[in-house]
Amino acid sequence: WFIFPALRHCLPPPAPEVCAHRCVGMRAPRDRRRRRFTAAAAAAAAAIACEKVVNFRALGAQASGPGRRGAAKRLPRDRGDPWESSWGKQLLRMREFHATEEGPPRREERTWLRRFRIPYPAFEELVGVVQRDLGLDNHARCDAAGRPCKPIELKVLSALRVLGRGCYFDDAEEGTNIGEPTLREFFHKFCDGLSNVVFDKWVYPPADGNELARVMAPYTAIGMPGCFASCDCIHKSWGMCPASQSVIHTSGKEGWPTRVFQGVVDRSRRFINFTYGMPGSFNDKQVALQDPFLQDLRFGRLYGDVKFPVYDINGTVEEMNQPWMLVDGGYQKYNCLVGAIPTPLTEAEKAWSCRLTSARKDVECSFGILRQRFRILKAPSLFHDAEKVDNVMRACVVLHNVVLAHRGTTAEMEARAARALREFGEDGEITVL
């Protein structure tokens, strides 16, 4: 038992007398200032050691399950009722407030928006989408132990909290009384459903000429007839990029692995197109070649029959087709992509470049709003799979459009669009052949 310590779990502990005899017979240390153990002290120490070993073995025998030696039993963890959690109680309060005619107090609305980033009516609609389109509602079923599944509403709240705050799943566990593995699994399914299943329901270009005329009206009012959107790229840092892909995902602009996305935004800062992620080393021209929406617009497959009036230098009205977008200097010189003049010489060129640069800030402001509203986009992504990084980014774009759909555009944008439609739309100058 003393010679082979690795076999102590297989051999019975020696008697106290043997331990005392062996302790007394051991060589004394070289330091003469240390005193030898007496036989009585050694016997007492050995007895205490043997008692601890016996108690430890007895405890291990009680904790070990049948058929598994030394394996502790997994005790059931009672997290409590999810509806008794802090977020469950807040959700029930919001339901009671919205059931009345007065509605919720302003303080409750601000607290809800600060915690979950979207209005409560948008949340109820999102829950319906999850239940109807994504098929993630398993509240009526039970697990293998016969316990009812967790409420789908609290799972959606946890996903919104992780997207909005960029927190970890154990933080959401404290607010919902739902296990961390359950919340993590639902989060990825939720983002995948928004990115691939219902993405086209919220992020889409104008469907017909009338809707396109409404989108082009604010740009026409500022002297840019034919323009309908702004286009630019955004980089999302990828902290867990595999070493085998770090070279292609690292660009000179950022200096660390990223995923690049291209977004198209109209005047009301609503996304009408958003691509999947590409390696961060791609520049704007390479991303534009991979975007089907931009290529359809370039070759006339999209809005090729739309005409709009323009004025030449003499003030004569001419008709042109193929609407265009505002871009920076990093894109190709396509007819559907118009950027500022690199070196303006005349006053007219300077005024045009200044106005175009000011109008192109819509897409930059939209990217800034997206990152401030969903803080998970500001920190490096901690997912090892590039598909999960893309799903999170596209899910945030969908939620951004959901918020705009419920809040609506500002009164100034609506008035400007109505004024431009009266001036250009009623005369039939923006027509569809």
Side-chain angles (χ1 to χ4, degrees):
W1 202 73
F2 285 93
I3 299 175
F4 302 100
L7 301 178
R8 289 181 179 178
H9 64 281
C10 300
L11 302 177
E17 296 81 4
V18 178
C19 294
H21 176 70
R22 291 182 179 178
C23 290
V24 172
M26 294 175 61
R27 294 181 58 184
R30 295 183 179 181
D31 192 357
R32 296 181 179 179
R33 291 175 297 182
R34 297 182 181 178
R35 302 178 60 183
R36 291 179 175 271
F37 283 107
T38 60
I48 295 175
C50 293
E51 183 180 359
K52 290 184 178 180
V53 170
V54 173
N55 293 338
F56 178 77
R57 288 187 176 180
L59 182 61
Q62 295 178 2
S64 61
R68 297 181 60 187
R69 183 173 181 179
K73 287 184 178 180
R74 183 177 179 181
L75 300 178
R77 181 178 178 182
D78 186 13
R79 296 184 177 89
D81 187 8
W83 291 111
E84 294 296 329
S85 61
S86 58
W87 296 356
K89 293 179 180 179
Q90 185 179 5
L91 178 58
L92 295 178
R93 288 198 306 269
M94 292 296 292
R95 285 181 175 178
E96 294 177 358
F97 288 140
H98 279 271
T100 60
E101 297 181 357
E102 294 80 7
R106 182 60 181 170
R107 182 177 180 181
E108 290 289 338
E109 288 185 351
R110 289 198 301 265
T111 303
W112 179 273
L113 287 175
R114 187 176 67 251
R115 290 182 176 179
F116 307 113
R117 302 304 190 195
I118 66 174
Y120 179 79
F123 165 76
E124 291 291 346
E125 182 178 357
L126 189 62
V127 171
V129 170
V130 171
Q131 294 175 342
R132 181 178 60 258
D133 299 332
L134 304 186
L136 298 179
D137 186 15
N138 54 358
H139 183 60
R141 298 198 301 266
C142 299
D143 58 5
R147 297 169 298 187
C149 294
K150 305 302 180 182
I152 191 66
E153 295 86 353
L154 297 183
K155 293 180 181 180
V156 175
L157 286 183
S158 66
L160 295 176
R161 183 58 173 263
V162 173
L163 292 175
R165 294 285 184 88
C167 59
Y168 295 98
F169 295 101
D170 56 351
D171 298 333
E173 178 184 357
E174 297 176 358
T176 58
N177 289 344
I178 301 177
E180 177 184 355
T182 303
L183 298 179
R184 181 185 294 107
E185 181 182 0
F186 176 82
F187 174 80
H188 291 299
K189 291 183 179 180
F190 175 78
C191 294
D192 179 72
L194 292 184
S195 175
N196 301 311
V197 179
V198 297
F199 185 84
D200 296 337
K201 179 181 178 181
W202 297 102
V203 183
Y204 55 90
D208 52 9
N210 296 328
E211 188 175 353
L212 180 63
R214 182 183 61 82
V215 174
M216 293 168 58
Y219 291 99
T220 306
I222 61 176
M224 296 182 180
C227 180
F228 69 98
S230 304
C231 180
D232 201 1
C233 292
I234 180 175
H235 286 260
K236 175 67 178 73
S237 59
W238 189 10
M240 290 296 179
C241 177
S244 59
Q245 304 178 21
S246 60
V247 176
I248 194 174
H249 282 86
T250 303
S251 63
K253 175 183 177 181
E254 302 294 337
W256 53 81
T258 60
R259 298 281 293 175
V260 61
F261 305 83
Q262 180 174 270
V264 180
V265 181
D266 62 6
R267 189 63 173 168
S268 62
R269 295 173 183 173
R270 187 185 72 88
F271 286 92
I272 63 177
N273 183 59
F274 202 82
T275 63
Y276 284 94
M278 304 178 193
S281 61
F282 285 16
N283 54 25
D284 294 348
K285 294 181 179 180
Q286 293 172 317
V287 174
L289 292 175
Q290 303 292 332
D291 187 6
F293 172 80
L294 196 149
Q295 296 302 318
D296 292 343
L297 183 65
R298 173 192 175 188
F299 292 105
R301 293 189 293 266
L302 183 65
Y303 309 139
D305 54 352
V306 176
K307 290 189 175 183
F308 54 91
V310 295
Y311 296 88
D312 59 6
I313 193 172
N314 299 322
T316 306
V317 179
E318 298 181 359
E319 281 191 350
M320 295 186 63
N321 56 356
Q322 194 179 38
W324 50 278
M325 299 186 298
L326 298 173
V327 295
D328 55 10
Y331 282 86
Q332 295 91 337
K333 305 301 180 182
Y334 296 155
N335 293 332
C336 60
L337 302 178
V338 178
I341 301 175
T343 55
L345 300 178
T346 63
E347 293 297 330
E349 292 179 352
K350 293 180 181 179
W352 165 258
S353 298
C354 182
R355 179 169 295 187
L356 189 145
T357 305
S358 178
R360 201 189 66 82
K361 291 181 180 178
D362 294 335
V363 62
E364 302 290 349
C365 293
S366 300
F367 289 154
I369 293 173
L370 194 67
R371 285 183 172 177
Q372 288 294 335
R373 178 171 288 154
F374 304 102
R375 299 298 179 88
I376 194 174
L377 304 181
K378 301 184 70 175
S381 181
L382 301 180
F383 305 125
H384 295 271
D385 191 0
E387 183 180 359
K388 294 181 179 179
V389 180
D390 299 350
N391 291 339
V392 169
M393 191 74 185
R394 289 166 60 88
C396 293
V397 171
V398 171
L399 295 177
H400 173 84
N401 283 4
V402 170
V403 173
L404 290 183
H406 281 266
R407 287 186 174 181
T409 57
T410 59
E412 180 181 0
M413 291 183 180
E414 292 290 345
R416 186 165 52 197
R419 183 173 64 253
L421 281 177
R422 287 195 302 268
E423 296 177 359
F424 296 92
E426 294 179 356
D427 297 338
E429 296 179 350
I430 302 179
T431 58
V432 180
L433 298 181

